[in-house]
Structure formats: C-alpha cells, structure tokens
Amino acid sequence: MTARTVTQKRTVSPVPGMLNPVVFRITLRATLGRKRAFVFILIPVLLLAITVLLRLVAKSPSWPAEFLGVFGLSVVLPLTALIIGTSALGAEIDDGTVIHLLATPVSRLSVVTSKFAAAVVLTLAFGALPEFLAGAIAKGFADRLTIGLLVGAVLASVAYNAVFVMLSVLTTRAIAVGLLYLLVWEGLLGNFVGGVRVLSVGQYSVSVANAIARNSALNAHLTTGTATVMAVLVTVAALAVAGRRLSSFALKGDAV
Amino acid sequence: MNGTGLIELRNVSRWYGNVVAVNDISMSLGAGITGLLGPNGAGKTTLLNMMAGFLPPSRGELTVDGRPSWRNPEVFSTLGLVPERDSVYGFLSGFDFVRSTARLHRLADPDAAAHRAIAIVDMADAQDRRIATYSKGMKQRIKVAAALVHDPAILLLDEPFNGMDPRQRLHMMDLLEQMAAQGRTILFSSHILEEVERISGTIQVIVGGRLAASGDFRAIRRLMTSRPHVFLVRSSADRELGAALLGRPAVTGVEITPRGLQVRAADFGTFTRELAGLCREGDISLREVLPSDESLESVFAYLVAS
C-alpha cells in the first residue's frame, strides 16, 4: 500500500465530448451481454429465413415491397430499435450500473449521446443490415427497392433510437411506453389521422425509402423533404430532452 | 490530491411527498474520517445522495468544495462515491473497470492511475478476473478503487461494510483510516454500531431524518454503554438475588416475572461485575443473563432522548 499521494493530471479531450469512447464501448458490451440480446439476434435471422422462403414460393411480384417494406421497415426494425434503445440506457438505470458512469465529471448529455451512438450501431448491425440483405435476396443488391430499404432502415435506426433512449430516461417503463407508441400512435392512429404521420418515425423511414424505391406498396405518406427534416428534428429534440433529464437524474434514499 | 475536501450542509431538508427523509440537518465535514450512523430508513442514503449531487435538497444549502453538487457533475473531479448497490459491470475485469473510470475522469495516464488505486485496495491479484466472479467484499473493494482512481479529496461510502466478513471489515476500516490520515475527507454510513467501534474519528448519528448526536466516537460510545440496560436474569433463587440486587446503586429496578428477574441497570459495566459477586456471596447459581433491549432502535432512541 502506498501512502504517497499522486496528483492526477487531466488531459483535455480534442473533441469536447459528444461521443465518449468509454461509455460507447461499455454500452456495446453491456447491451450485447444481456439476455434480451437473443431477441434482437433472433429477429433478423427470422426475417432472412422468411425472405428466403418467400423468394422460393411467393407468386405475386410485389411481395418484396409488401413484406420488407411493411413487415421489415414497420415491424421488425422498430422492435429491434426498441429492444436495443431501451437496453442501452434504461436497463442500466434499472440495475443501477449507470451510477458508475454518472459519478464522473462526464457531461450527462455526452452519456446520452454515446449510449445513443452505441444503440444506433447495434440497430444498424441487427436491423438495417439484415433488412438490406433481405432486400438483396429478394431483388438483388443494386435494385432500387434494396437501396431504398437500406436508406429507410438507416434513418429509422437513428430516429427510433433517439426516441427510445429518451423514453428510457423519462420513464422506468420505457419498453411498454415504446410499444404503445409503435402500436397505437404509429400503427393505429397513423392510419386514420394525417397529422399523426408527421410525428411518426415509421413514416419518415418509409417515405425516404419510397423516395428511392418509388413503390406504392411501401405505404408512404410524407414528402422526402418533410420526412428528412422531421427525422433530424425529432432526433435532436429527443436527445436534448434526454440529456436535460439525465442532468437531473435523482437517486432516492432508503427512507421511502 | 484534488480539492479542499470540505462538505457543508446548512439546514438541509429533503422530503418525498409527505415523507420527510432528512430534517433540517446542518453539519460541516473536513479532513478525517466520519461515520454516518443510524438505523435503516434514517435518511443516511438520502443524505449521501444529496452530497454526491444525485438528489436536490428540498430546502437548505449543501456545498462540496464551496459549490452546490446538484446538477453539477464537475464535483466528481474532487469527490469519489462508492454506492451501496452491488451493481457493477460484471463482464469487465476489475482492472478494466477501474481504468474505464480513470478514462471517464480524463486522467493523463489511466493505466498507472488504475494500478495505483487497485494497489491501495489490495486487489492486484484479482484485477484480471471478471467482476462477476468476485465475492461481495472484493466487489466492494474494486468499487472503492474506482472511486479513488482520480485521487479525490472526498470519498463517500454508502454502507461499505455490508456483507463483509469480519476480516474484510477490518481491512476496509484500516484502509479508510489510512486515507483519512492522508488528509482526505472520508464519510461512510452504517447501521451497525459494532462496525464503527474501531473508528478514530467522529460520528454523526441520524435517527428519523434528524441529527441525533454528533461528536467523538468515544463520547458517544460512553453514552451508549452507560445508558440504562434491561436484563432478564434466571437463577436458582430469583427472590433472594432480586433483593440483593436492589441494594446496589447500579441497579434501578427489579421485577419478578414468570420468566425470571427483569433487572434495570443504570450502569452496564458495574452491574455485570456486581452480579457475579452477589451470586457468589449468596451461593446462588446463575442460569441465564439476557440483555432484553439491545435492539438498535432502543440504542438510537436513547441517543435521541439524551
């Protein structure tokens, strides 16, 4: 043991920290190490398996857009982002490990953005990439639909994760609230109320995919401009809200 | 060392809805070791969380190194926190965990800082194992290493002795004493009186959210041992023994119950010495002596009343 006291010098980070590499790496490992990782690893396997099956048996020429556009972009991708996005920060708040990141001088906003970045990378790997591969299996790599699906899926990976990371800070029931958002807001209301579509991440991704694929089966309702601008706005706003709320992160004592 | 290590609380209260967790506490902590003592639910964790900036006071003023800690993660450049919960990233090795913390603090040489902190808690042998394989005491020590890695002037530890065996407890106590001797402000909480027996510093006793007693441990210890004790005594001749005990100044009351004699003693030490003598003189054989009010609550309740 040493009685000597060493004064530690601090280095100044070249990029004053929106992305903290330590938080990023720990989040990747923690998220992949949780039991629920099986779910987001299994889902793309299923997607690819069904695509192969459809490729062999489906008769209708519009099945790739119907299956990968509707099921892939509007069901598989949001669910993958939901599991990953709520796991990246929410699960650590639940089990208390996040305290080891918060009990440091790292800004709370950069904890949020680094966790968001890790969630996006994982969703790209387990959501967007399989969607692209499925498109390639159905129509070939260079097909407009395949490219459209990829771009739509990338945009969805970014915007959905911002929303779900924000929900993780706002509520301890992020998965339930996220599911309600997907099923009721995007799934149900989005079909009847035009205004809802402007605030639906799913519509941003399908609309951008449609801008490239130009396929009516994609069920897109927004212009490319609206979809892109709104996706950026929603992402930035969600991260800002999450950063603000994490700055007021409170731990309750044992008295209650 | 980083920072002056001064924690100041002025009339700090914290409530959750209608429940008051911390009630108008003022204290000033500086270099040295301080034990925050109190039964479960007394408000110790609430107080520590407020000091570390994880909870705003509902009323009053709380500063660390002269700055409020709420919404100010910068306090962690001079403060280390060892939370009570055992949750650590189990997939990391002990060394990776401490080095990651060093990187989060943006230390110039995270590897060296991690080695130094791990050496302080004597965990070098186990540093390459995954934390998931650690015992409770080892997890506690690696958490201390992480909290120490940036050489803070203040170290807050929430129930650091929980789940430790006596040997680990002694080791941790020595460690805290050493760090205090280096001029750090060490504050730890505990709900077990015996845990703090060996401590050289001061004690702050909290009961029901209020500061019940504070000061030198020996003084508080004296208060605690000289408080009235109630014993249940069974012997071969309860009535004779009872009569003899009543003649002693250390005894303030005797009651004969079906289960034996209920003896109220003003002074714990004198009573236990005299009891044996009385039995010898009267040729009475002593069957059982049971302290009947040793619960923590009664000890703390006594401290509040005095």
Side-chain angles (χ1 to χ4, degrees):
Chain A
M1 290 205 197
T2 130
R4 185 169 49 102
T5 311
V6 186
T7 301
Q8 289 291 337
K9 303 226 164 30
R10 289 183 162 70
T11 52
V12 180
S13 156
V15 199
M18 287 307 276
L19 188 87
N20 187 300
V22 180
V23 178
F24 179 79
R25 272 199 308 274
I26 286 183
T27 306
L28 281 186
R29 287 184 67 178
T31 309
L32 283 170
R34 287 205 176 78
K35 285 197 187 80
R36 60 183 90 160
F38 282 113
V39 183
F40 64 74
I41 290 169
L42 201 67
I43 291 177
V45 173
L46 275 176
L47 179 83
L48 291 171
I50 297 175
T51 308
V52 170
L53 198 73
L54 285 173
R55 165 91 205 240
L56 295 176
V57 301
K59 301 280 186 290
S60 146
S62 63
W63 75 264
E66 279 161 9
F67 175 65
L68 294 175
V70 178
F71 182 70
L73 271 191
S74 308
V75 178
V76 171
L77 209 100
L79 284 182
T80 307
L82 177 68
I83 298 162
I84 294 174
T86 54
S87 184
L89 182 53
E92 288 193 16
I93 291 177
D94 286 347
D95 68 18
T97 43
V98 77
I99 189 113
H100 297 291
L101 304 178
L102 299 184
T104 63
V106 175
S107 93
R108 302 284 166 89
L109 180 61
S110 84
V111 171
V112 165
T113 49
S114 308
K115 289 194 162 287
F116 160 72
V120 170
V121 166
L122 289 174
T123 311
L124 288 176
F126 293 100
L129 182 66
E131 175 81 357
F132 173 65
L133 292 178
I137 290 170
K139 304 274 283 183
F141 279 103
D143 190 86
R144 280 220 309 265
L145 180 69
T146 310
I147 307 290
L149 289 175
L150 174 66
V151 175
V154 168
L155 182 128
S157 306
V158 172
Y160 272 127
N161 274 308
V163 172
F164 296 140
V165 165
M166 174 189 74
L167 286 181
S168 312
V169 192
L170 295 184
T171 167
T172 48
R173 295 183 186 82
I175 293 188
V177 176
L179 261 181
L180 278 179
Y181 163 77
L182 291 177
L183 295 176
V184 179
W185 185 264
E186 291 202 349
L188 202 62
L189 294 177
N191 285 333
F192 304 120
V193 191
V196 168
R197 294 175 189 141
V198 186
L199 285 173
S200 296
V201 174
Q203 270 301 316
Y204 309 156
S205 103
V206 172
S207 300
V208 169
N210 187 47
I212 297 165
R214 276 180 247 128
N215 191 319
S216 61
L218 283 179
N219 195 27
H221 297 282
L222 301 177
T223 65
T224 321
T226 311
T228 319
V229 170
M230 282 307 294
V232 172
L233 280 182
V234 164
T235 303
V236 171
L239 292 179
V241 169
R244 258 186 82 87
R245 280 301 288 259
L246 199 64
S247 297
S248 306
F249 178 77
L251 285 173
K252 288 199 168 178
D254 49 2
V256 225
Chain B
M1 205 179 316
N2 294 304
T4 57
L6 213 61
I7 305 177
E8 290 200 83
L9 283 76
R10 254 180 310 257
N11 308 106
V12 168
S13 298
R14 170 71 212 195
W15 49 83
Y16 305 101
N18 286 328
V19 183
V20 179
V22 165
N23 193 346
D24 196 27
I25 287 186
S26 297
M27 61 170 84
S28 177
L29 303 174
I33 188 164
T34 305
L36 193 58
L37 204 59
N40 282 326
K44 303 183 299 289
T45 300
T46 300
L47 206 55
L48 286 170
N49 283 342
M50 283 195 285
M51 291 177 185
F54 282 118
L55 201 63
S58 304
R59 186 174 288 166
E61 209 179 304
L62 190 156
T63 57
V64 172
D65 272 338
R67 304 166 292 186
S69 49
W70 175 241
R71 292 181 64 94
N72 180 17
E74 272 304 314
V75 297
F76 289 108
S77 58
T78 60
L79 185 150
L81 173 70
V82 182
E84 184 192 0
R85 277 179 81 177
D86 225 6
S87 44
V88 263
Y89 298 100
F91 54 86
L92 292 179
S93 73
F95 182 76
D96 282 343
F97 174 56
V98 179
R99 183 176 52 184
S100 296
T101 312
R103 290 200 171 126
L104 292 173
H105 282 285
R106 296 192 296 272
L107 301 184
D109 189 348
D111 283 52
H115 282 300
R116 183 188 60 91
I118 288 172
I120 292 177
V121 298
D122 207 7
M123 282 285 288
D125 290 343
Q127 67 174 22
D128 296 322
R129 272 166 49 192
R130 285 168 56 232
I131 296 179
T133 67
Y134 284 6
S135 71
K136 177 110 187 169
M138 292 164 84
K139 276 185 191 160
Q140 202 62 259
R141 280 193 282 161
I142 210 72
K143 276 156 62 185
V144 173
L148 272 179
V149 75
H150 58 302
D151 200 19
I154 301 169
L155 191 62
L156 305 178
L157 308 100
D158 198 358
E159 299 278 353
F161 308 107
N162 245 1
M164 285 191 166
D165 63 35
R167 199 183 52 84
Q168 292 170 326
R169 199 175 291 169
L170 282 181
H171 183 261
M172 177 67 77
M173 196 53 98
D174 285 343
L175 189 65
L176 298 185
E177 294 275 4
Q178 273 175 32
M179 291 188 293
Q182 291 166 8
R184 285 176 222 274
T185 304
I186 310 286
L187 178 66
F188 71 90
S189 70
S190 170
H191 64 283
I192 298 170
L193 288 170
E194 284 67 30
E195 281 184 345
V196 299
E197 221 154 357
R198 291 180 62 258
I199 195 181
S200 61
T202 52
I203 300 281
Q204 308 273 354
V205 183
I206 295 199
V207 182
R210 282 181 176 279
L211 200 56
S214 82
D216 181 61
F217 179 69
R218 279 175 294 270
I220 289 175
R221 178 82 198 168
R222 251 194 313 281
L223 265 178
M224 289 192 286
T225 45
S226 65
R227 80 202 157 89
H229 283 61
V230 179
F231 294 91
L232 191 69
V233 180
R234 290 202 309 120
S235 69
S236 56
D238 281 352
R239 275 178 189 278
E240 290 164 38
L241 182 61
L245 281 171
L246 262 180
R248 294 293 168 169
V251 174
T252 56
V254 175
E255 195 183 327
I256 296 168
T257 72
R259 293 177 304 139
L261 286 172
Q262 182 135 334
V263 183
R264 201 171 289 281
D267 182 339
F268 168 78
T270 319
F271 164 71
T272 43
R273 272 193 304 279
E274 289 186 345
L275 179 63
L278 284 174
C279 287
R280 234 185 351 261
E281 285 166 25
D283 200 19
I284 300 166
S285 54
L286 208 52
R287 300 220 168 96
E288 199 172 32
V289 180
L290 275 180
S292 60
D293 67 340
E294 282 302 284
S295 75
L296 262 179
E297 272 61 30
S298 75
V299 176
F300 287 123
Y302 171 72
L303 284 175
V304 182
S306 63

